[in-house]
Amino acid sequence: MATSSSDSTAGLASRLGGLALRRREASIFIAGCLLVIYFQITTDVFVSGANVSTLVQYAGATAVLAAGEVMVLICGELDLSIGMVYALSPFLMFYANEAGVPMALAIILALAGAGVVGLINGLVTTWLKLPSFVTTLGMLFLINGFTLVISGGFPVQPQAGEIFTAVMGGSATAMVIWAVLIAVILQFVLTRTRWGLHTIAIGGNLSGATEAGIKVKTLKIRNFMLCSMLAGFGGILDTFRIGSIDPLAGGNEIMFMAIASAVIGGTLLTGGVGTIIGALFGAIVLAILKDGFTLSGVSAYTFDMILGAAILVTMTINVHLNQLREKGRV
Amino acid sequence: MTMSTTQHSTTDNDLVRLEHVSKRFGPVEPLKDINLRVGHGEVLGLLGNNGAGKSTLMKILCGFHPASDGTMYFEGKPVNLRSVTHARQLGIDCVYQDLALVNELNVYHNMFLQREPVHGGPLGILNNKRMKADAERHLADMGVNIPSVDVEIAKLSGGQRQAIAVARSVYSNARLLLLDEPTAAMGAKEGAMILNVIKRLRERGDVSVIIIAHNYAQIFDVCDRINLLREGEIVFDRATSDTSVQELTDIVVNEYRAATEAEA
């Protein structure tokens, strides 16, 4: 009896193991499940309503930023400016609203402003041929300075109705719905539409994609714009969650968390390969780690060490798994 | 050229014809006075030593280099190829196995890249079912054997990739395929798959092929006619049925001897 149950456990484990090897998203999903079990056992309060909403706080906006970043990474580029766009666009929304524009329209204007940042990133990268690392590094400082100048460095409080605030990220449920909805829609775009197919083709084989007649520059610009607009939207969601707009919010920390989410979720920095759902799981796993260690009483300093080690370990495994996948061994 | 046996008939039957085409890069003249023709549905083998000008000739035919002099005719009309894209619009397609395909995409997405059937609407939702069925049918027609059209290109062998690249060009309505050593660095079995695809094309008769190869046995197996290039000129032009591996070998051996004697 004991043998048969251990056999079936082993069978299940090997099936799960096989799945983890074949599906990019699966390995990070399994890691997340194991972490939840570990923290539930060690802290007792991990799986509770209050804690889940804390998790959502940590993961929500990061997942939205990561979704856009994945599209840029897949086409072989990188956007470092998302954290600053995250901080900028709530101010654009706030000032538009102050000037008498209704809040809903102010959000659309703020997203358009974020889109312009993406447009500039894309134009400079594709037409002036700067590496996107350099383009968006410059943009990072430029946007940060701009936000500090227009805000004078002081936080502001947006005024909006209770329901509006809840829908735009004030409630944890709304935050979950936004993050999941955006991830599902973008995963669909990535895997089921010409846009996604061509994005993968550009990152996988730039000259082949160009030869086939794909409009590489247009598509890259489009992905940069999408990425910036999602960064802006992430900033707006967090604005309504927190209730104030801080010019120093987000910044490089959320940018690195978003890129880390994408990378540990299975997206390659070299382009051609990536998954939005994986990035969503990546953001959740990072949130679980942060939250779990906080509950366990591990200090923030230690957390950064563990996060760094986790990225190194998962990426080492990922790189070698990919080599096996390509050789058709798994 | 005394030993030239070049005989170019200027019939309107030709799909492509080059007349007195030359190419200069500064002081270097890799192509001197090329007269070449390919008939509709004909498979032409291009032989020659390294540096004879084969690849330069291919690059002129596919629109990569403009010719320095001479005229190119496509279906009887003079054309001035502006770019690779322009050549491809006319139906002239150079097939590179590893340059054209996207390793991260599956076979049918590669087959239809940039010509994907969609369900309509602004999003461009892919009609995967149709692509899959069409790709399977088309590859079977061409005699390309792969385990499934669902697999990523990265998991296929060099021969399979080359065959898919050829099949894709044919499917995109190519009229003239340019193959630069399609069986290079391949095992016999892999090479045979490519040669079979070329034979199928020859039977169908709707696509012309120019193929550069070093293996005479393979050339004799698939080509209708053979051209030999030496120092930027075509010095030999015969139907495969009118010559033999021995004759070609003799020409090349004599050439080699002449060259080494001149050197001495």
PDB file of all heavy atoms in Angstrom, chain B residues 15 51 60 116 120 123 135 140 145 154 156 158 161 194 202 205 214 223 227 237 242 259:
ATOM      1  N   LEU B  15      13.287  31.737 -69.399  1.00  0.00           N
ATOM      2  CA  LEU B  15      12.714  32.483 -68.274  1.00  0.00           C
ATOM      3  C   LEU B  15      13.655  33.649 -67.964  1.00  0.00           C
ATOM      4  O   LEU B  15      13.228  34.787 -67.822  1.00  0.00           O
ATOM      5  CB  LEU B  15      12.579  31.572 -67.053  1.00  0.00           C
ATOM      6  CG  LEU B  15      12.031  32.255 -65.802  1.00  0.00           C
ATOM      7  CD1 LEU B  15      10.574  32.638 -65.984  1.00  0.00           C
ATOM      8  CD2 LEU B  15      12.192  31.359 -64.581  1.00  0.00           C
ATOM      9  N   GLY B  51      36.284  30.943 -56.663  1.00  0.00           N
ATOM     10  CA  GLY B  51      36.782  32.169 -57.271  1.00  0.00           C
ATOM     11  C   GLY B  51      36.464  32.267 -58.753  1.00  0.00           C
ATOM     12  O   GLY B  51      36.868  33.219 -59.418  1.00  0.00           O
ATOM     13  N   ILE B  60      24.102  38.548 -58.536  1.00  0.00           N
ATOM     14  CA  ILE B  60      23.546  39.447 -59.556  1.00  0.00           C
ATOM     15  C   ILE B  60      22.137  38.984 -59.915  1.00  0.00           C
ATOM     16  O   ILE B  60      21.202  39.783 -60.027  1.00  0.00           O
ATOM     17  CB  ILE B  60      24.468  39.485 -60.789  1.00  0.00           C
ATOM     18  CG1 ILE B  60      25.695  40.329 -60.451  1.00  0.00           C
ATOM     19  CG2 ILE B  60      23.726  40.044 -62.003  1.00  0.00           C
ATOM     20  CD1 ILE B  60      26.712  40.417 -61.544  1.00  0.00           C
ATOM     21  N   GLU B 116       0.638  35.002 -43.721  1.00  0.00           N
ATOM     22  CA  GLU B 116      -0.225  34.156 -42.917  1.00  0.00           C
ATOM     23  C   GLU B 116      -1.691  34.422 -43.248  1.00  0.00           C
ATOM     24  O   GLU B 116      -2.103  35.569 -43.307  1.00  0.00           O
ATOM     25  CB  GLU B 116      -0.025  34.423 -41.421  1.00  0.00           C
ATOM     26  CG  GLU B 116       1.396  34.323 -40.932  1.00  0.00           C
ATOM     27  CD  GLU B 116       2.158  35.635 -41.040  1.00  0.00           C
ATOM     28  OE1 GLU B 116       1.601  36.592 -41.611  1.00  0.00           O
ATOM     29  OE2 GLU B 116       3.304  35.686 -40.578  1.00  0.00           O
ATOM     30  N   GLY B 120      -9.285  37.614 -40.267  1.00  0.00           N
ATOM     31  CA  GLY B 120      -9.801  38.954 -40.545  1.00  0.00           C
ATOM     32  C   GLY B 120      -9.852  39.786 -39.291  1.00  0.00           C
ATOM     33  O   GLY B 120      -9.507  39.326 -38.205  1.00  0.00           O
ATOM     34  N   LEU B 123      -6.982  42.755 -35.564  1.00  0.00           N
ATOM     35  CA  LEU B 123      -5.975  42.062 -34.758  1.00  0.00           C
ATOM     36  C   LEU B 123      -5.132  41.092 -35.586  1.00  0.00           C
ATOM     37  O   LEU B 123      -4.029  40.766 -35.229  1.00  0.00           O
ATOM     38  CB  LEU B 123      -6.656  41.299 -33.621  1.00  0.00           C
ATOM     39  CG  LEU B 123      -6.629  41.959 -32.245  1.00  0.00           C
ATOM     40  CD1 LEU B 123      -7.255  41.055 -31.213  1.00  0.00           C
ATOM     41  CD2 LEU B 123      -5.208  42.323 -31.839  1.00  0.00           C
ATOM     42  N   ALA B 135       0.292  23.557 -45.184  1.00  0.00           N
ATOM     43  CA  ALA B 135       1.721  23.245 -45.080  1.00  0.00           C
ATOM     44  C   ALA B 135       1.938  21.741 -45.220  1.00  0.00           C
ATOM     45  O   ALA B 135       2.827  21.297 -45.944  1.00  0.00           O
ATOM     46  CB  ALA B 135       2.278  23.748 -43.756  1.00  0.00           C
ATOM     47  N   ALA B 140       4.093  17.499 -48.428  1.00  0.00           N
ATOM     48  CA  ALA B 140       3.940  16.138 -48.944  1.00  0.00           C
ATOM     49  C   ALA B 140       4.083  16.146 -50.469  1.00  0.00           C
ATOM     50  O   ALA B 140       4.753  15.283 -51.051  1.00  0.00           O
ATOM     51  CB  ALA B 140       2.587  15.567 -48.535  1.00  0.00           C
ATOM     52  N   ASN B 145       9.968  15.053 -46.072  1.00  0.00           N
ATOM     53  CA  ASN B 145       9.552  14.243 -44.929  1.00  0.00           C
ATOM     54  C   ASN B 145      10.003  14.850 -43.621  1.00  0.00           C
ATOM     55  O   ASN B 145      11.192  14.942 -43.354  1.00  0.00           O
ATOM     56  CB  ASN B 145      10.144  12.838 -45.041  1.00  0.00           C
ATOM     57  CG  ASN B 145       9.432  12.045 -46.104  1.00  0.00           C
ATOM     58  OD1 ASN B 145       8.204  12.141 -46.248  1.00  0.00           O
ATOM     59  ND2 ASN B 145      10.194  11.297 -46.874  1.00  0.00           N
ATOM     60  N   ALA B 154      14.139  24.624 -35.045  1.00  0.00           N
ATOM     61  CA  ALA B 154      15.393  24.320 -34.355  1.00  0.00           C
ATOM     62  C   ALA B 154      15.597  22.818 -34.164  1.00  0.00           C
ATOM     63  O   ALA B 154      16.721  22.342 -34.067  1.00  0.00           O
ATOM     64  CB  ALA B 154      15.419  25.028 -33.004  1.00  0.00           C
ATOM     65  N   LEU B 156      14.821  20.449 -36.265  1.00  0.00           N
ATOM     66  CA  LEU B 156      14.978  19.700 -37.508  1.00  0.00           C
ATOM     67  C   LEU B 156      16.444  19.664 -37.947  1.00  0.00           C
ATOM     68  O   LEU B 156      17.248  20.484 -37.527  1.00  0.00           O
ATOM     69  CB  LEU B 156      14.121  20.331 -38.607  1.00  0.00           C
ATOM     70  CG  LEU B 156      12.613  20.318 -38.342  1.00  0.00           C
ATOM     71  CD1 LEU B 156      11.892  21.057 -39.454  1.00  0.00           C
ATOM     72  CD2 LEU B 156      12.090  18.900 -38.224  1.00  0.00           C
ATOM     73  N   GLY B 158      19.630  19.814 -40.797  1.00  0.00           N
ATOM     74  CA  GLY B 158      19.998  20.779 -41.830  1.00  0.00           C
ATOM     75  C   GLY B 158      19.280  20.504 -43.151  1.00  0.00           C
ATOM     76  O   GLY B 158      18.813  21.417 -43.812  1.00  0.00           O
ATOM     77  N   ARG B 161      15.639  21.451 -42.941  1.00  0.00           N
ATOM     78  CA  ARG B 161      15.492  22.911 -42.973  1.00  0.00           C
ATOM     79  C   ARG B 161      15.641  23.445 -44.393  1.00  0.00           C
ATOM     80  O   ARG B 161      14.868  24.276 -44.847  1.00  0.00           O
ATOM     81  CB  ARG B 161      16.533  23.562 -42.058  1.00  0.00           C
ATOM     82  CG  ARG B 161      16.207  23.401 -40.592  1.00  0.00           C
ATOM     83  CD  ARG B 161      16.839  24.510 -39.775  1.00  0.00           C
ATOM     84  NE  ARG B 161      18.281  24.323 -39.657  1.00  0.00           N
ATOM     85  CZ  ARG B 161      18.855  23.768 -38.600  1.00  0.00           C
ATOM     86  NH1 ARG B 161      18.127  23.350 -37.607  1.00  0.00           N
ATOM     87  NH2 ARG B 161      20.153  23.645 -38.543  1.00  0.00           N
ATOM     88  N   ILE B 194      17.087  16.794 -50.425  1.00  0.00           N
ATOM     89  CA  ILE B 194      17.080  18.032 -51.221  1.00  0.00           C
ATOM     90  C   ILE B 194      17.011  17.706 -52.705  1.00  0.00           C
ATOM     91  O   ILE B 194      16.247  18.313 -53.464  1.00  0.00           O
ATOM     92  CB  ILE B 194      18.376  18.845 -50.977  1.00  0.00           C
ATOM     93  CG1 ILE B 194      18.595  19.103 -49.503  1.00  0.00           C
ATOM     94  CG2 ILE B 194      18.361  20.146 -51.751  1.00  0.00           C
ATOM     95  CD1 ILE B 194      17.534  19.927 -48.900  1.00  0.00           C
ATOM     96  N   ARG B 202      11.429  19.571 -61.042  1.00  0.00           N
ATOM     97  CA  ARG B 202      11.735  19.363 -62.455  1.00  0.00           C
ATOM     98  C   ARG B 202      10.566  18.660 -63.146  1.00  0.00           C
ATOM     99  O   ARG B 202      10.180  19.019 -64.252  1.00  0.00           O
ATOM    100  CB  ARG B 202      12.995  18.518 -62.524  1.00  0.00           C
ATOM    101  CG  ARG B 202      13.635  18.474 -63.874  1.00  0.00           C
ATOM    102  CD  ARG B 202      14.987  17.829 -63.686  1.00  0.00           C
ATOM    103  NE  ARG B 202      15.373  17.083 -64.877  1.00  0.00           N
ATOM    104  CZ  ARG B 202      16.416  16.254 -64.894  1.00  0.00           C
ATOM    105  NH1 ARG B 202      17.126  16.064 -63.801  1.00  0.00           N
ATOM    106  NH2 ARG B 202      16.726  15.633 -65.994  1.00  0.00           N
ATOM    107  N   GLY B 205       7.743  21.147 -63.559  1.00  0.00           N
ATOM    108  CA  GLY B 205       8.051  21.993 -64.707  1.00  0.00           C
ATOM    109  C   GLY B 205       7.601  23.435 -64.604  1.00  0.00           C
ATOM    110  O   GLY B 205       7.669  24.170 -65.577  1.00  0.00           O
ATOM    111  N   HIS B 214      29.308  21.101 -55.991  1.00  0.00           N
ATOM    112  CA  HIS B 214      30.634  20.574 -56.285  1.00  0.00           C
ATOM    113  C   HIS B 214      30.592  19.100 -56.635  1.00  0.00           C
ATOM    114  O   HIS B 214      31.498  18.575 -57.248  1.00  0.00           O
ATOM    115  CB  HIS B 214      31.562  20.795 -55.082  1.00  0.00           C
ATOM    116  CG  HIS B 214      32.115  22.170 -55.044  1.00  0.00           C
ATOM    117  ND1 HIS B 214      32.034  22.987 -53.943  1.00  0.00           N
ATOM    118  CD2 HIS B 214      32.725  22.902 -56.001  1.00  0.00           C
ATOM    119  CE1 HIS B 214      32.582  24.149 -54.222  1.00  0.00           C
ATOM    120  NE2 HIS B 214      32.999  24.125 -55.461  1.00  0.00           N
ATOM    121  N   CYS B 223      20.197  17.811 -62.923  1.00  0.00           N
ATOM    122  CA  CYS B 223      20.198  18.959 -63.842  1.00  0.00           C
ATOM    123  C   CYS B 223      19.863  18.582 -65.278  1.00  0.00           C
ATOM    124  O   CYS B 223      20.191  17.497 -65.747  1.00  0.00           O
ATOM    125  CB  CYS B 223      21.557  19.648 -63.813  1.00  0.00           C
ATOM    126  SG  CYS B 223      21.893  20.434 -62.240  1.00  0.00           S
ATOM    127  N   ASN B 227      26.518  24.361 -66.919  1.00  0.00           N
ATOM    128  CA  ASN B 227      27.414  25.454 -67.309  1.00  0.00           C
ATOM    129  C   ASN B 227      28.648  25.383 -66.430  1.00  0.00           C
ATOM    130  O   ASN B 227      28.536  25.141 -65.232  1.00  0.00           O
ATOM    131  CB  ASN B 227      26.760  26.820 -67.087  1.00  0.00           C
ATOM    132  CG  ASN B 227      25.837  27.221 -68.235  1.00  0.00           C
ATOM    133  OD1 ASN B 227      25.394  28.356 -68.316  1.00  0.00           O
ATOM    134  ND2 ASN B 227      25.537  26.295 -69.118  1.00  0.00           N
ATOM    135  N   ASP B 237      28.809  24.828 -71.974  1.00  0.00           N
ATOM    136  CA  ASP B 237      27.352  24.879 -71.830  1.00  0.00           C
ATOM    137  C   ASP B 237      26.766  23.718 -72.617  1.00  0.00           C
ATOM    138  O   ASP B 237      26.740  23.739 -73.839  1.00  0.00           O
ATOM    139  CB  ASP B 237      26.832  26.225 -72.364  1.00  0.00           C
ATOM    140  CG  ASP B 237      25.316  26.319 -72.303  1.00  0.00           C
ATOM    141  OD1 ASP B 237      24.688  25.377 -71.769  1.00  0.00           O
ATOM    142  OD2 ASP B 237      24.767  27.327 -72.771  1.00  0.00           O
ATOM    143  N   ASP B 242      24.237  15.306 -73.138  1.00  0.00           N
ATOM    144  CA  ASP B 242      25.280  15.377 -74.156  1.00  0.00           C
ATOM    145  C   ASP B 242      26.689  15.375 -73.582  1.00  0.00           C
ATOM    146  O   ASP B 242      27.652  15.619 -74.301  1.00  0.00           O
ATOM    147  CB  ASP B 242      25.120  16.658 -74.996  1.00  0.00           C
ATOM    148  CG  ASP B 242      23.846  16.613 -75.817  1.00  0.00           C
ATOM    149  OD1 ASP B 242      23.331  15.491 -76.012  1.00  0.00           O
ATOM    150  OD2 ASP B 242      23.373  17.687 -76.214  1.00  0.00           O
ATOM    151  N   ALA B 259      47.102  25.485 -65.231  1.00  0.00           N
ATOM    152  CA  ALA B 259      47.336  26.519 -64.217  1.00  0.00           C
ATOM    153  C   ALA B 259      48.645  26.274 -63.481  1.00  0.00           C
ATOM    154  O   ALA B 259      49.430  27.205 -63.269  1.00  0.00           O
ATOM    155  CB  ALA B 259      46.164  26.562 -63.238  1.00  0.00           C
TER     156      ALA B 259
END
